Amino acid sequence: MKLGVVGLPNVGKSTLFNAITHAGADAANYPFCTIEPNVGVVAVPDERLEKLAALYQSKKVTPAVIEFVDIAGLVKGASHGEGLGNKFLSHIREVDAIVHVVRCFEDENVTHVENSVDPVRDIRTINLELILADIEAVEKRQDRIRNAARGGSDKGAAAEFAFLERLLAHLGEEKPASSLPVTKEEQPILENLFLLSAKPVIYCANISERDMGAPDETLPLVCAVKEYAKEHGAETVVICAKTEEELSQMEEEDRALFLEEFGLEESGLDKLVKASYSLLGLISYLTAGEKETRAWTIVKGTKAPQAAGKIHSDFERGFIRAEVVDYETLLECGGLTGARERGKVRSEGKDYVMKDGDVVLFRFNV
């Protein structure tokens, strides 16, 4: 899963990304890992892994991960080449969802490109750039199929052209592609356009250090972002990017003490990762053994053979059955042997829909 981190200058985007990439970590097993200068990988928090690893005395623990891409150069006019312009847009087309960092703090020492702090205005500025870029992309697609659609002999092209006309009118009203009602037949056309404004969004409300631990409802700027997000079917996570950068450099024990001091159960970054996972409809199933305990990311509704294919294509091709026990039951039984003795291990076939927290042993033959 890949998420693009966007935001206007001086909203805290780079600070948050510094927390994500956490200089010094060099493997995906760590909470934070840098792959490239603008790409960071974060482990999906999952306390089940450590408990399973302890039960099986696993040599290695591998969490599910999310990849964050730092999208630089977004300013007003990006759709027409301002800032890094099209470079920014090409990067963001490749991500699954957008993390939109918005400034919800006042600081006279940190200038704002609009000379005032107004997160909803900033959100609209960026969203308009995405919509303008999408209009250009849709018009280019229309030009490519215009002749085929005009003749009438290619019914598929004619239907697509008609849909694109409706989509253009919608975008022209400054409405994102994600809010356009589409039919089952139109959905593949929309998906193949890879439109920026069609992507799911998490608004990341960046607050000051002094506001940490304060109820969200006492922070007017945060309330404004939450209200906007709710109206547009988006998620909101409240975070202090400066604090997250400091937390990312602490030892685990010190981090826990710091969060406890503010009455927080988890870091803002952990909340962001979980919200991202949830936003895209993802779950984790688990495998465990002496060699490794691991979380595997799948989409909700995935059936057992396709889930097995995440481990290796041979598992899917030669799938026989899945031996499944839910995580809580496995712990209660003290392991797989105890679960078998109590009749808690289920043998599931090709039509079994995987559930979050399933601990699985796949049987296959190639």
Side-chain angles (χ1 to χ4, degrees):
M1 175 169 57
K2 187 181 287 189
L3 305 177
V5 184
V6 305
L8 288 171
N10 294 339
V11 298
K13 181 175 70 71
S14 296
T15 306
L16 176 61
F17 194 75
N18 287 341
I20 291 169
T21 54
H22 186 208
D26 59 2
N29 286 13
Y30 289 83
F32 312 97
C33 171
T34 306
I35 294 178
E36 300 171 12
N38 69 328
V39 179
V41 170
V42 179
V44 177
D46 194 337
E47 61 183 19
R48 298 173 301 192
L49 289 174
E50 294 300 333
K51 291 181 180 179
L52 275 180
L55 182 65
Y56 282 85
Q57 297 185 319
S58 305
K59 293 186 176 78
K60 184 179 179 183
V61 177
T62 306
V65 295
I66 294 178
E67 190 172 307
F68 287 87
V69 182
D70 186 22
I71 308 296
L74 182 57
V75 294
K76 187 182 288 187
S79 59
H80 299 297
E82 295 294 327
L84 292 184
N86 293 332
K87 182 179 179 182
F88 151 76
L89 297 173
S90 65
H91 284 168
I92 203 172
R93 288 196 192 281
E94 299 171 3
V95 303
D96 300 302
I98 294 170
V99 176
H100 186 158
V101 183
V102 287
R103 178 170 167 175
C104 291
F105 65 89
E106 299 277 359
D107 188 337
E108 60 185 21
N109 297 316
V110 181
T111 58
H112 191 289
V113 289
E114 297 289 347
N115 298 315
S116 63
V117 178
D118 183 342
V120 172
R121 176 202 59 209
D122 294 350
I123 287 170
R124 287 179 174 143
T125 295
I126 286 185
N127 287 351
L128 179 58
E129 293 304 322
L130 303 186
I131 289 168
L132 290 172
D134 284 347
I135 288 173
E136 185 178 342
V138 173
E139 288 175 339
K140 284 181 179 177
R141 177 60 186 168
Q142 273 193 321
D143 289 341
R144 281 196 290 270
I145 66 168
R146 190 180 304 277
N147 290 338
R150 186 179 293 160
S153 57
D154 189 334
K155 292 183 179 180
E160 180 180 351
F161 195 88
F163 169 70
L164 295 177
E165 286 280 275
R166 188 162 69 88
L167 176 57
L168 271 178
H170 183 81
L171 295 169
E173 294 174 1
E174 298 186 6
K175 295 177 181 177
S178 59
S179 66
L180 177 70
V182 295
T183 65
K184 186 178 179 181
E185 293 73 26
E186 291 169 338
Q187 187 63 39
I189 302 173
L190 180 62
E191 290 175 357
N192 288 335
L193 290 167
F194 298 100
L195 297 182
L196 307 173
S197 68
K199 296 181 184 296
V201 180
I202 295 176
Y203 291 109
C204 189
N206 184 21
I207 60 173
S208 66
E209 290 174 291
R210 66 175 175 271
D211 288 333
M212 274 192 64
D216 293 349
E217 57 270 20
T218 65
L219 305 172
L221 296 177
V222 170
C223 289
V225 173
K226 282 193 164 187
E227 187 176 337
Y228 181 93
K230 188 176 180 181
E231 288 174 6
H232 294 82
E235 299 268 343
T236 305
V237 172
V238 181
I239 200 167
C240 175
K242 191 173 181 182
T243 298
E244 294 303 320
E245 187 177 21
E246 293 169 2
L247 279 171
S248 72
Q249 298 171 40
M250 291 182 186
E251 297 295 332
E252 186 62 41
E253 189 175 322
D254 293 336
R255 190 182 302 145
L257 288 171
F258 185 94
L259 293 172
E260 186 180 337
E261 187 179 328
F262 283 92
L264 302 173
E265 294 181 2
E266 58 186 348
S267 72
L269 189 53
D270 282 352
K271 287 192 291 184
L272 176 59
V273 170
K274 287 181 179 179
S276 304
Y277 213 62
S278 174
L279 179 71
L280 292 173
L282 302 175
I283 61 173
S284 291
Y285 75 83
L286 313 168
T287 55
E290 187 180 337
K291 184 179 178 181
E292 181 183 38
T293 290
R294 182 164 182 165
W296 301 87
T297 302
I298 55 173
V299 177
K300 285 180 184 176
T302 298
K303 292 185 178 180
Q306 288 69 49
K310 284 285 182 180
I311 300 175
H312 196 286
S313 57
D314 284 351
F315 283 33
E316 180 176 357
R317 190 157 53 93
F319 180 87
I320 298 172
R321 67 180 184 277
E323 295 180 3
V324 184
V325 57
D326 69 87
Y327 162 78
E328 294 287 353
T329 301
L330 186 67
L331 285 189
E332 288 170 11
C333 296
L336 192 61
T337 302
R340 287 191 198 281
E341 289 171 354
R342 297 190 199 181
K344 298 294 186 179
V345 179
R346 309 186 312 274
S347 181
E348 302 287 1
K350 293 183 177 181
D351 292 328
Y352 176 68
V353 177
M354 302 290 291
K355 296 180 178 62
D356 186 59
D358 278 347
V359 184
V360 191
L361 176 63
F362 291 110
R363 301 291 185 186
F364 71 102
N365 183 33
V366 177

